[in-house]
Amino acid sequence: MNTIPELLPHDAHNAILISNVHPPDWPNPEPASRYNLVVIGAGTAGLVTAAGAAGLGAKVALVERHLLGGDCLNVGCVPSKTIIRSSRAVADIRDASQFGIRVPEGTEVGFSLVMERMRRLRARISAHDSATRFRDLGVDVFLGEGHFSGPDTVEVAGKALRFKKAVIATGTRPVYPTIEGLAEAGFLTNETVFSLTEQPRRLAVIGGGPIGCELAQAFRRLGCEVTLFHNASHILNREDGDAAEIIQQSFIRDGIRLILNCKTKKVEKKNGDKMIHIDCAEKAGTIAVDEILAGAGRAPNVEGLNLEAVGVQYDKRKGVKVNDHLQTSNPMIYAAGDICLNHKFTHTAEATARIVIQNALFMGRKKLSALTIPWCTYTDPEVAHVGMYEREAKEKGIGVDTFVKTLKDVDRAIADGEEEGFVKVHARKGTDKILGATIVARHAGEMIGEITLAMVGNLGLRVLSNVIHTYPTQAEAIKQVADTYSRTRLTPFIKGLFTRWLAWGR
Ligand SMILES: Cc1cc2nc3c(=O)[nH]c(=O)nc-3n(C[C@H](O)[C@H](O)[C@H](O)COP(=O)(O)OP(=O)(O)OC[C@H]3O[C@@H](n4cnc5c(N)ncnc54)[C@H](O)[C@@H]3O)c2cc1C
């Protein structure tokens, strides 16, 4: 039976989304006698695996129990980045006087309009992931919950799909914090927060990692009074410390109340308020809010797949165990995306899907460990990173030289009024080989691509220093940081030679 997922609010935009990614009248096809590949889960990892394999001539079945597109399209990247864009417009208006622009008083955020814009754009983007599009690409799309029912069989909605190889791409879901009284008081997660149509006046966000931080800042700028709870002494504490500090200061300027290093003891409902009782090193107290958003941690969707029966090993916290070729403990079954990765991003879901196609279907030996994976947290400014952090290099006993260019010295950043940030590159000591980089800038996510390209192409800082960048751009900071490296090559000895040579030529 095709159980239609509930997606609130019931409006025209969500109706379009559903008609694309879980059509109510979808007829599951008659299964082929055997598939080259049966893919369970149609998030980014599953969709890319299925489309890529079918494009190469494989007979592929794709199984999805909820919405094609998975988290990214429906309750992750797409809706979050859409509302972040609106929240940036608010910040631009707030800061307009710095640019010599007087904004009339009484400018208002239309919260419900912001959320409607998000639903409209999400519905539009959903066409890329639609069931009919994938059927047209040659994929047999089955809607329903899939599980392994035999060594070479996946069962979905009463149909048995026999496979030569299978791929588990079932992703993750939000972890529900174990705080006394929270479940009774009610809380939001990324699965429900994008259904809001009315602005919560006071919002508590639990979790100061990337998801919590992005949403805390967006909702603050859209007008909510936001309190962010984080159980470490700094938000984004896994990031480069200097980068995290810039974001923390930006949050304080935005008026986000930070409760750090604190345990949330219990939550209770009183006169319509949700009362959060905290217990910190310095203080204990109670904070009253209207809504609580839990944004701390992800749990892998391993339940109900009958993995034990097919000998696929997994960990309830870390997900399906894979080797470097993304093969599970059952050599006929592979995994891709969040279900098996530490780096839970859409672009890694896509990259691992590509590895799986080659390894599962064409006896490829592509390795997960060979990937160079960048990522970005879309706060304002953004924090993007690739490769090693300085602390990781230290732990591994690798010597590094670190080169930094602050945006305060970059003409375009000054002109843009976006000077809070930097480009920091770690190179192997005494060489120009790039080991890692962190960028803090309004569009750091765009800029990190250049350094990722250099790392993948084995191009060092010397090459980056020779690349002509258009003036004025913030990306010039990348060339300038590379120039900083080049200047270290000008040792007193070489400078002395140059001076003598030039004196001789006068
Ligand atoms: C708020 C938020 C913002 C994010 N922003 C970004 C961002 O800006 N950039 C970025 O790179 N990443 C971002 N991410 C992470 C990104 O969404 C994930 O990395 C990506 O969706 C992983 O894709 P996936 O295919 O592995 O898993 P998922 O997208 O989780 O897809 C798994 C699919 O499997 C289905 N499924 C599970 N079990 C079964 C079953 N038994 N049978 C059938 N189907 C099943 C699920 O319904 C789901 O559709 C964000 C995540 C969140 C929560």
Side-chain angles (χ1 to χ4, degrees), residues 101-130:
I101 295 161
R102 270 192 289 275
V103 177
E105 272 188 27
T107 306
E108 274 178 27
V109 173
F111 185 84
S112 62
L113 297 175
V114 168
M115 299 308 270
E116 195 201 338
R117 172 182 181 272
M118 177 274 291
R119 294 195 300 277
R120 174 167 48 81
L121 299 181
R122 179 175 63 178
R124 183 173 145 200
I125 293 172
S126 71
H128 297 155
D129 296 351
S130 74

Side-chain angles (χ1 to χ4, degrees), residues 40-46 63-67 70-72 75-77 80-81 144-146 169-172 190 211 298 301 305 337-338 344-347 349 378:
I40 311 179
T44 306
V63 181
E64 173 56 52
R65 67 178 175 193
H66 191 53
L67 303 173
D71 274 7
C72 183
V75 290
C77 332
S80 62
K81 267 72 251 178
E145 176 129 13
T170 49
T172 58
N190 71 294
I211 293 175
R298 310 287 303 167
N301 292 322
L305 287 166
D338 282 7
K344 299 190 193 319
F345 304 108
T346 295
H347 44 277
Y378 297 88

Side-chain angles (χ1 to χ4, degrees), residues 10 29 93 114 145 159 177 216 241 259 334 400-401 412 432 454 486:
H10 296 291
I93 293 166
V114 168
E145 176 129 13
K159 302 201 178 206
I259 309 274
Y334 288 71
V400 294
D401 292 321
R412 178 59 187 270
D432 76 334
S486 295

Side-chain angles (χ1 to χ4, degrees), residues 179-180 182 185 203-206 227 229 259 263-269 273-279 284-293:
I179 300 169
E180 188 192 330
L182 179 65
L203 176 70
V205 178
I206 299 177
T227 308
F229 296 81
I259 309 274
K263 251 194 126 83
T264 319
K265 259 185 23 186
K266 71 171 181 181
V267 177
E268 55 183 348
K269 233 174 157 181
D273 287 346
K274 295 178 184 181
M275 311 294 291
I276 304 177
H277 299 276
I278 54 167
D279 195 358
T286 304
I287 292 159
V289 296
D290 302 302
E291 288 287 2
I292 300 171
L293 169 62

